[in-house]
Amino acid sequence: MCRTGAGREHCAALRAVLLSAGEDSGMDERRGRQAGVWLTLLLGALVLLNYVDRGALGIAAPKLKHELDLTPYAFGLAVSAFAWIYAPAQFAVGWLADRFCVYRLIAAGLALWALATLLTGFVSGLAMLVALRVILGVGEGVAFPAASKIIARHVAPEHRGIANGTVAAALAWGPALGTFAGGLLLASVGWRAIFWVFGGVTLLWLVPWLIASRPHWSDRASRAGDSVPVRTVMREPTPWLLGIGHFCNTYGFFFLLAWLPLYLVEARGLSIGTMTGMATAVYLVQGAGALLWGWGSDALVRRGWPEGRLRKGLLSFYQLSLAAAIVGAALATSTATLFGWLLLAGAVGGIGGANSYALAQIYAGPRAAGSWVGILNGVGNCSGIVGPILTGWLVGRHGGDFHVAFYASAGIVGFGALWWWLALPPVEPVAAAVEPGIPSAAAVE
């Protein structure tokens, strides 16, 4: 990754991010430098694997749906089962990330979701598929509250965009890698191999993580005494407002992640090979865009732009653009036009993955970032419960026609553009989240 020109620039930016932030725990500079780089890169790999495994069901859908004899509604039910526990678990995981060792929490969660992915290759019916999707949701729930906890602890405000952009790029490249590899497996050896290969590869991540994180299992920042009481965070209205905006953000993303392969093959009549290439290209563009949007927003912050207003504006721009792209894709009359609209969705998609978490990190500060992102993700990922069932019902009701489902998705995403800009209070650290003895920073709006 660091050998190409773009890769070298990105790795250099990552190192600048991590070295500028310092270490809350008072570790010496050399230890902090080495730990920061490796842990951040491994968190990027964690999120990449998270979305490889999460999107596996959508990739397998063209063959899995027929072999298991699933109706559109039943398939939507299986997709949504992931979020039945993933969304509410975010509240608990955020609290755990602020009070206990976040490094061990991540390892346990990944091991659980990797096993659930692997076992999905053995399912024989809807009930078993739903049960394993629920277990997958429990395991994957650790990723974003834990990653935000670490970013809030180590990253300075002027580098917050590239740090979260790294996670957002992994969030997009996970589906890209999963779609490409899964599509090849689907076409050559069938859908079950997708889950066996993806689950096994994910388990291998534990080896470097345990090596890199083990020295930090007793860090001061991981101890309960340094966290903000969860009841204090729950009484704050702002994380709930962020969660509503994130619901609109994730609704559009999950709609495309879960339904795009099936839509391209069944509704548009594309081959599995063409579907794989098209969807992979969209996610590659989204990942590259996440890094560029993160780098660009940091550059503007360093030039004196108000960070809060900038990140809110980017989120509103993103959701308006995504809503337009979803409508455009539904109305496209040719494969080339459809691909163009999907590329637009990918080009702006990286904004949503980075800036919603960055706003939560600004409000929360290092001590409460896990709990705040837990609420943000908990409310936001309810779209993963509502969206697949609603989409499956709409597609089934209209005889396999996806148009109404596309319009519903665009409407929810477009509402989010207004919400980010109008509903949030001034973006500044909340007093309860600031380190003891350090006054709250001035507003960054």
Side-chain angles (χ1 to χ4, degrees):
M1 174 179 171
C2 295
R3 293 179 180 177
T4 64
R8 284 195 297 271
E9 291 178 6
H10 177 52
C11 290
L14 260 181
R15 288 187 175 89
V17 166
L18 296 159
L19 296 180
S20 66
E23 294 283 340
D24 276 350
S25 61
M27 294 184 299
D28 62 86
E29 183 179 355
R30 181 177 178 182
R31 181 186 173 195
R33 181 183 300 120
Q34 293 174 343
V37 171
W38 284 110
L39 290 177
T40 301
L41 290 175
L42 284 169
L43 283 176
L46 171 87
V47 172
L48 184 143
L49 293 169
N50 185 292
Y51 274 85
V52 166
D53 293 347
R54 188 184 307 196
L57 183 59
I59 300 163
K63 291 189 176 180
L64 174 148
K65 180 172 172 287
H66 294 294
E67 183 174 325
L68 299 184
D69 195 25
L70 302 179
T71 65
Y73 179 80
F75 177 73
L77 191 71
V79 173
S80 75
F82 169 87
W84 295 351
I85 191 66
Y86 179 87
Q90 293 297 293
F91 300 96
V93 171
W95 175 77
L96 291 170
D98 281 337
R99 293 188 63 85
F100 299 101
C101 178
V102 69
Y103 312 102
R104 282 181 279 191
L105 183 66
I106 287 175
L110 179 131
L112 182 62
W113 100 54
L115 290 172
T117 300
L118 193 151
L119 291 174
T120 302
F122 297 97
V123 300
S124 56
L126 179 62
M128 186 176 178
L129 180 60
V130 166
L132 287 170
R133 291 288 291 179
V134 169
I135 296 172
L136 181 73
V138 174
E140 291 204 353
V142 306
F144 288 99
S148 284
K149 177 74 175 179
I150 293 171
I151 289 172
R153 183 185 301 165
H154 294 289
V155 177
E158 64 271 19
H159 298 297
R160 206 173 341 239
I162 190 63
N164 285 284
T166 300
V167 173
L171 183 152
W173 286 337
L177 177 61
T179 301
F180 180 73
L184 293 178
L185 289 168
L186 183 66
S188 58
V189 293
W191 65 268
R192 295 184 185 274
I194 295 174
F195 298 97
W196 297 334
V197 172
F198 286 5
V201 170
T202 298
L203 279 173
L204 294 177
W205 178 91
L206 285 171
V207 176
W209 178 255
L210 293 175
I211 294 172
S213 70
R214 183 64 181 86
H216 307 279
W217 287 9
S218 60
D219 279 355
R220 178 184 65 82
S222 295
R223 295 203 297 266
D226 297 306
S227 63
V228 176
V230 67
R231 60 182 177 275
T232 301
V233 178
M234 297 287 282
R235 286 198 296 263
E236 286 286 342
T238 306
W240 302 95
L241 298 176
L242 289 169
I244 294 172
H246 197 50
F247 178 98
C248 301
N249 175 3
T250 58
Y251 191 100
F253 178 78
F254 287 147
F255 173 74
L256 295 177
L257 180 68
W259 292 94
L260 184 59
L262 193 64
Y263 171 71
L264 293 177
V265 172
E266 290 198 349
R268 290 286 182 164
L270 302 182
S271 68
I272 290 176
T274 302
M275 174 276 290
T276 299
M278 187 179 292
T280 299
V282 171
Y283 291 126
L284 287 174
V285 168
Q286 181 176 332
L291 296 178
L292 289 173
W293 288 110
W295 173 84
S297 64
D298 283 346
L300 293 175
V301 170
R302 289 193 294 271
R303 291 182 182 181
W305 284 50
E307 186 185 7
R309 187 174 295 272
L310 171 64
R311 301 202 184 284
K312 286 200 302 182
L314 284 172
L315 282 165
S316 293
F317 166 75
Y318 151 66
Q319 298 217 209
L320 282 174
S321 301
L322 180 59
I326 291 172
V327 172
L331 296 176
T333 56
S334 69
T335 300
T337 305
L338 169 65
F339 189 37
W341 284 113
L342 292 176
L343 286 176
L344 172 61
V348 299
I351 300 174
N355 286 283
S356 55
Y357 295 111
L359 284 177
Q361 292 156 16
I362 296 170
Y363 282 116
R367 298 177 62 232
S371 297
W372 274 65
V373 172
I375 295 176
L376 165 80
N377 245 17
V379 176
N381 279 275
C382 287
S383 65
I385 302 173
V386 176
I389 294 177
L390 176 60
T391 300
W393 179 77
L394 289 172
V395 172
R397 181 184 174 95
H398 292 86
D401 190 326
F402 278 78
H403 280 83
V404 176
F406 270 76
Y407 300 148
S409 178
I412 292 170
V413 171
F415 172 79
L418 299 175
W419 185 266
W420 285 115
W421 189 251
L422 299 176
L424 298 182
V427 183
E428 62 183 354
V430 175
V434 178
E435 293 286 356
I438 301 177
S440 176
V444 294
E445 176 115 86

